[in-house]
Amino acid sequence: MWEQYAAALPANAWNWSAVWRRNYMAWRKAALASLLGNLAEPMSALFGLGFGLGLMIGQVDGISYVAFLAAGMVATSAMISATFETVYGAFARMNAQRTWDAILCTELTLGDVVLGELAWAATKAVLAGTGITIVAAALGYAAWPSIPYALPAIALTGVAFASLAMVVIALAPSYDYFVFYQTLFLTPMMYLCGAIFPVAQLPIALQRVAEALPLAHSIDLIRPAMLDRDASSVGLHVGVLCLYTVVAFVVSALLLRRRLMR
Amino acid sequence: MLGGVEAAPISRQTIAMEPAPVTPADRGAGRVSNVAIDFTAVKKSYGEKVVVDQLSFTVASGKCFGLLGPNGAGKSTIARLILGMSTPEAGKITVLGEKVPARARLARKRIGVVPQADNLDLEFTVRENLLVFGRYFGMTAKDVEKITPSLLEFARLESKADARVTELSGGMKRRLTLARALINDPDILILDEPTTGLDPHARHLIWERLRALLSRGKTILLTTHFMEEAERLCDRLCVLEAGRKIAEGPPHTLIDEQIGCPVIEVYGGDPNELCGLIKPLAQRTEISGETLFCYAPNPEQVLARLRGRTGLRLLQRPPNLEDVFLRLTGREMRD
């Protein structure tokens, strides 16, 4: 009975890397365009909102608005990169390109494929998040020495949102459904979780909602790291993100098994 | 062994990376197990529709076993069941001694697959496709580089090593898929309609390559709806309809058992009238559309009876698998 589900789980600790390397090889062929595409949106938000609104707002939480926003944009761009890589890239490899079909004829299990895709999506999240962190640091809105502390938080954000997106592609019949995920889940989360303004501005009920959302925990880890402040409740934030990751991974693997291995 | 100068030009085709050819009688000899794939009373359905129905068959090591049937007969589902990509509701599947699907991953280590639809990585070159695929079997770049030349030679793609897949013709893509399936030096090759959509030249080249693999002792499981392909390649055939086995045996035995006499095809005229005319001389007659098929041990008598009638085209030929298939499944139903 349980043996049947073995196919949905990774076979070992390293098989996934073959999938990661395949995606890396494909990405390398169009790396520059991909990087520009990933960085352009959060950058324009950072400069547009940061310098535009920043003039009117002045200081937030004792720092300039641009510095406040920078951390929010790093977390958001990690979320968006990981999500888009999964719902567009991985979904295409699963469906139209039949890449997964080919891989599933080899030694790899479905769990290996899913894990490799998650690792790859998280890598893209790290690239995007790090890119913005470096620009922010170069402009003086983030502290250089603390960047290494932000990196693991960005990576964890990437894995968590890639796992959630994996559940979405396991259920979505076609690309059209991804818009709902974006407009009903990701975009509201960006406004609720303190990316653009402090959560404290929200009504108490919405603050409670924000506490349950993964992006809030990402921002609570990334912002103090970038601003060189002491982070509080690190264990809680890491724990929540890990929980989202593990639960979503297992659920997505089982759903994908049902979808692909009928 | 490779590229011996003394080798006659004709043998160059089969010389790449292979030991001395094995005769069909030797195939599978000296192995631990003679059984490569075993299906026992396997059942699979999707909703109400039974796709594989109480199917049992055994594929002997080193042989080419064909699953022959029309679209929708369950051939691709059987291939998926063998790979553990689908779970049967009932029955037992063993592949290379491993229980499937429970231990399918271990069986897949020793299987190569040519799927029905190409799923090569289009953004990669021929060489890169092999590299990426080798990694899925735990091979290093060095391992893959070492065998790439012989795989490319086998697939006749030496000059295309650095071409992108999008630049390849349909036949070249199929040959690359075949080369890719050989990357782990598998014991079993599973080919799901390998020549569908190819032109005759490309198809013959694939057939020739598959025979070369058989002479190297590989086991082949082939699904096809081409009678000619089944007849040319397979040592043994399982004829399927709607997931059920309706006949099994070596192609020529099936033809002898089911038909066993020459066939005359009569085009033109009123088939019903002609049928009445020649029925006493034939073992069996069948009408399909406007063609009359006449199975007659003494075809000369039939031809003599029809001679002199105008507007008829007569074709006498030996029986083939098409006749077997149509006899077993019912010609009229099919058309």
Side-chain angles (χ1 to χ4, degrees):
Chain A
M1 173 66 197
W2 284 106
E3 281 176 320
Q4 283 182 25
Y5 291 95
L9 298 172
N12 56 37
W14 57 86
N15 269 359
W16 62 269
S17 66
V19 177
W20 187 94
R21 293 179 79 166
R22 182 240 163 255
N23 291 347
Y24 172 67
M25 243 173 92
W27 174 81
R28 232 176 25 186
K29 292 182 185 267
L32 194 64
S34 168
L35 272 179
L36 281 175
N38 267 321
L39 290 176
E41 206 205 319
M43 289 302 211
S44 54
L46 181 62
F47 289 118
L49 293 176
F51 291 116
L53 283 179
L55 277 178
M56 296 186 275
I57 294 166
Q59 297 242 315
V60 176
D61 278 358
I63 43 161
S64 77
Y65 181 62
V66 185
F68 175 87
L69 186 65
M73 286 300 117
V74 168
T76 308
S77 70
M79 167 177 89
I80 296 286
S81 301
T83 304
F84 277 32
E85 179 58 29
T86 308
V87 296
Y88 293 106
F91 188 72
R93 290 188 281 276
M94 172 176 89
N95 248 11
Q97 298 176 15
R98 299 169 179 276
T99 315
W100 287 20
D101 277 359
I103 302 176
L104 292 174
C105 291
T106 68
E107 262 183 64
L108 270 57
T109 62
L110 181 59
D112 293 323
V113 177
V114 172
L115 195 56
E117 292 285 2
L118 293 186
W120 174 246
T123 306
K124 296 214 40 189
V126 167
L127 283 173
T130 312
I132 300 166
T133 309
I134 288 171
V135 172
L139 296 173
Y141 298 117
W144 284 109
S146 55
I147 290 178
Y149 297 103
L151 281 183
I154 295 169
L156 187 55
T157 305
V159 183
F161 281 99
S163 301
L164 288 168
M166 199 58 83
V167 176
V168 176
I169 70 165
L171 293 169
S174 70
Y175 284 103
D176 306 326
Y177 290 76
F178 302 144
V179 175
F180 296 127
Y181 180 60
Q182 197 187 345
T183 53
L184 298 177
F185 186 64
L186 298 183
T187 308
M189 188 154 42
M190 189 173 79
Y191 292 109
L192 284 176
C193 292
I196 298 169
F197 53 85
V199 180
Q201 300 286 316
L202 291 167
I204 248 334
L206 287 179
Q207 288 189 32
R208 292 284 96 82
V209 173
E211 278 169 17
L213 296 172
L215 187 65
H217 297 276
S218 299
I219 291 172
D220 282 346
L221 286 172
I222 293 170
R223 185 167 281 140
M226 283 178 67
L227 298 174
D228 212 9
R229 292 176 173 176
D230 287 334
S232 59
S233 321
V234 173
L236 171 75
H237 302 314
V238 171
V240 170
L241 289 173
C242 286
L243 191 68
Y244 267 106
T245 305
V246 172
V247 171
F249 170 73
V250 172
V251 169
S252 71
L254 292 175
L255 288 171
L256 285 165
R257 179 186 173 277
R258 202 181 64 179
R259 176 174 183 150
L260 302 174
M261 306 183 65
R262 296 173 66 219
Chain B
M1 203 66 218
L2 287 179
V5 186
E6 71 281 8
I10 198 165
S11 64
R12 196 193 158 271
Q13 301 183 338
T14 49
I15 210 157
M17 56 180 290
E18 61 204 42
V22 184
T23 64
D26 296 337
R27 286 186 204 162
R31 282 165 187 271
V32 183
S33 167
N34 250 348
V35 176
I37 301 171
D38 188 56
F39 263 50
T40 312
V42 173
K43 190 183 170 199
K44 174 81 192 172
S45 44
Y46 293 123
E48 294 284 290
K49 193 171 187 281
V50 180
V51 198
V52 176
D53 195 1
Q54 294 298 323
L55 184 67
S56 300
F57 65 83
T58 300
V59 179
S61 292
K63 302 283 186 194
C64 181
F65 188 92
L67 296 169
L68 178 67
N71 292 329
K75 305 187 299 290
S76 295
T77 305
I78 295 168
R80 288 172 58 81
L81 286 165
I82 293 170
L83 293 166
M85 286 165 73
S86 187
T87 306
E89 281 151 56
K92 223 181 79 189
I93 303 171
T94 313
V95 181
L96 294 165
E98 304 289 355
K99 266 201 227 155
V100 169
R103 292 166 63 84
R105 196 179 84 84
L106 297 168
R108 286 200 303 268
K109 275 181 194 240
R110 295 158 62 198
I111 299 178
V113 181
V114 176
Q116 196 170 345
D118 280 323
N119 54 22
L120 295 160
D121 269 313
L122 297 182
E123 58 258 74
F124 292 156
T125 64
V126 168
R127 196 190 295 281
E128 286 168 339
N129 263 281
L130 295 175
L131 169 63
V132 162
F133 214 72
R135 288 213 184 104
Y136 300 144
F137 286 99
M139 298 167 77
T140 63
K142 235 186 207 146
D143 296 337
V144 179
E145 273 161 30
K146 217 185 291 170
I147 58 166
T148 296
S150 58
L151 288 173
L152 292 178
E153 192 187 344
F154 179 81
R156 309 279 157 74
L157 290 169
E158 299 99 317
S159 61
K160 297 285 177 187
D162 296 305
R164 278 191 170 215
V165 169
T166 42
E167 296 163 28
L168 302 183
S169 70
M172 288 175 181
K173 281 185 196 160
R174 288 266 96 181
R175 290 191 328 259
L176 174 56
T177 308
L178 182 58
R180 190 184 70 169
L182 295 172
I183 200 135
N184 55 330
D185 192 20
D187 295 327
I188 300 180
L189 269 165
I190 293 175
L191 305 145
D192 196 1
E193 308 217 349
T195 63
T196 299
L198 295 187
D199 63 47
H201 174 74
R203 182 174 300 159
H204 278 272
L205 188 48
I206 294 277
W207 287 343
E208 187 263 326
R209 297 288 72 195
L210 295 182
R211 269 193 296 274
L213 290 171
L214 284 168
S215 71
R216 274 153 62 176
K218 304 279 185 208
T219 306
I220 291 182
L221 181 122
L222 174 84
T223 82
T224 185
H225 60 254
F226 283 126
M227 310 293 166
E228 191 191 355
E229 184 163 277
E231 208 171 322
R232 276 167 177 263
L233 290 172
C234 297
D235 296 299
R236 198 172 176 82
L237 273 177
C238 174
V239 186
L240 295 163
E241 192 191 37
R244 278 181 307 110
K245 175 163 78 178
I246 52 177
E248 190 188 336
H252 290 286
T253 310
L254 285 176
I255 293 168
D256 288 346
E257 279 173 9
Q258 300 289 336
I259 311 292
C261 64
V263 184
I264 302 165
E265 293 182 20
V266 186
Y267 306 91
D270 175 5
N272 289 308
E273 183 219 331
L274 294 168
C275 184
L277 194 65
I278 57 177
K279 205 155 202 167
L281 304 172
Q283 197 178 69
R284 207 161 54 83
T285 55
E286 266 189 72
I287 298 167
S288 172
E290 53 187 12
T291 310
L292 172 64
F293 290 79
C294 174
Y295 303 91
N298 297 308
E300 294 76 20
Q301 291 180 353
V302 177
L303 293 173
R305 177 76 54 97
L306 295 173
R307 202 155 290 144
R309 294 181 74 96
T310 52
L312 293 187
R313 270 176 56 221
L314 305 172
L315 170 70
Q316 186 190 330
R317 59 169 175 79
N320 58 30
L321 277 174
E322 186 106 36
D323 300 311
V324 173
F325 184 73
L326 294 174
R327 170 155 194 209
L328 291 169
T329 60
R331 191 188 306 276
E332 284 82 1
M333 279 168 57
R334 205 115 309 281
D335 293 324

